[in-house]
């Protein structure tokens, strides 16, 4: 391998590790937040979907942890403490903040997750880690589904608010 290609691969690997370390902690925060988010909604179908999304976040965390181990890296302890605190705080605040804010911020959070996993997949590819690239691409697709759900629920509520109700 040419020196500059080797340097690019090492840079990609370093970025990949940093992204995975960030994602590992963020997945825990998101899962905790979704526990509170599920308690903040009235519709049982919304609650069930949010709890299913929470489970997918835990699955992503496990997979990201396995990827870090494969790369000879570990989660960052300070990030774990900070993101655990953030997730636990959101878990408490979601039921108090009404319906809209948790839905909106969950959609935006998922948008960031999609970008993070797509970038990680590119870095995995540049590092020659094809299986990891494919797994990260699949995780990005799941995050896109989450994003579409949350933003779609908001848009549906907006549409419902625009439709005049029948007079009684």
């Amino acid at each position: 391998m040419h020196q500059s290609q080797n340097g690019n691969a090492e840079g990609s690997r370093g970025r990949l590790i940093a992204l995975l370390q960030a994602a590992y902690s963020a997945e825990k925060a998101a899962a905790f937040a979704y526990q509170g988010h599920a308690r903040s909604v009235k519709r049982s179908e919304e609650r069930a979907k949010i709890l299913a999304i929470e489970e997918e976040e835990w699955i992503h965390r496990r997979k990201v942890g396995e990827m870090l181990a494969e790369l000879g890296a570990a989660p960052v302890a300070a990030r774990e403490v900070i993101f655990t605190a953030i997730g636990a705080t959101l878990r408490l605040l979601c039921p108090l903040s009404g319906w809209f804010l948790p839905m909106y911020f969950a959609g935006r959070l998922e948008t960031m997750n999609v970008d993070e996993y797509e970038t990680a997949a590119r870095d995995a590819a540049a590092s020659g880690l094809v299986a990891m690239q494919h797994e990260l691409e699949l995780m990005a697709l799941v995050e896109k589904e989450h994003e579409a759900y949350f933003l779609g629920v908001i848009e549906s509520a907006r549409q419902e608010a625009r439709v005049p109700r029948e007079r009684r």
Side-chain angles (χ1 to χ4, degrees), residues 13 28 35 38-39 66 68 83 97 102 115 120 146 151 166:
R13 184 181 174 91
K28 184 177 187 180
Q35 291 169 357
R39 289 195 311 268
E66 291 168 358
L68 283 169
F83 279 78
S97 65
D115 292 342
H146 297 172
L151 299 180
E166 290 184 37

Side-chain angles (χ1 to χ4, degrees), residues 92-134:
L92 293 173
L93 293 178
C94 279
L96 304 175
S97 65
W99 177 88
F100 177 78
L101 286 177
M103 285 291 179
Y104 176 80
F105 285 111
R108 293 296 159 224
L109 173 70
E110 295 298 346
T111 300
M112 292 186 308
N113 290 348
V114 170
D115 292 342
E116 188 173 68
Y117 283 125
E118 287 175 345
T119 301
R122 285 191 297 274
D123 284 332
S127 301
L129 301 165
V130 177
M132 193 177 292
Q133 170 196 355
H134 293 304

Side-chain angles (χ1 to χ4, degrees), residues 7-146:
N8 288 340
E10 286 303 313
S12 295
R13 184 181 174 91
R15 283 190 307 274
L16 174 60
I17 289 170
L19 282 168
L20 293 176
Q21 288 170 325
Y24 185 80
S25 299
E27 291 290 6
K28 184 177 187 180
F32 280 175
Y34 288 142
Q35 291 169 357
H37 190 173
R39 289 195 311 268
S40 77
V41 298
K42 291 182 173 72
R43 294 180 180 173
S44 60
E45 65 274 5
E46 286 179 358
R47 184 174 304 107
K49 180 63 176 175
I50 293 166
L51 290 173
I53 289 171
E54 175 206 346
E55 181 59 30
E56 289 172 334
E57 301 298 343
W58 288 118
I59 292 167
H60 285 179
R61 180 175 160 86
R62 179 183 51 77
K63 288 179 179 180
V64 168
E66 291 168 358
M67 290 177 197
L68 283 169
E70 183 181 331
L71 294 167
V76 176
R79 283 188 78 85
E80 281 291 287
V81 170
I82 292 165
F83 279 78
T84 297
I86 290 169
T89 301
L90 292 172
R91 179 173 51 197
L92 293 173
L93 293 178
C94 279
L96 304 175
S97 65
W99 177 88
F100 177 78
L101 286 177
M103 285 291 179
Y104 176 80
F105 285 111
R108 293 296 159 224
L109 173 70
E110 295 298 346
T111 300
M112 292 186 308
N113 290 348
V114 170
D115 292 342
E116 188 173 68
Y117 283 125
E118 287 175 345
T119 301
R122 285 191 297 274
D123 284 332
S127 301
L129 301 165
V130 177
M132 193 177 292
Q133 170 196 355
H134 293 304
E135 186 64 39
L136 289 162
E137 289 169 345
L138 290 173
M139 291 166 69
L141 289 174
V142 170
E143 299 293 348
K144 279 183 185 181
E145 291 171 4
H146 297 172

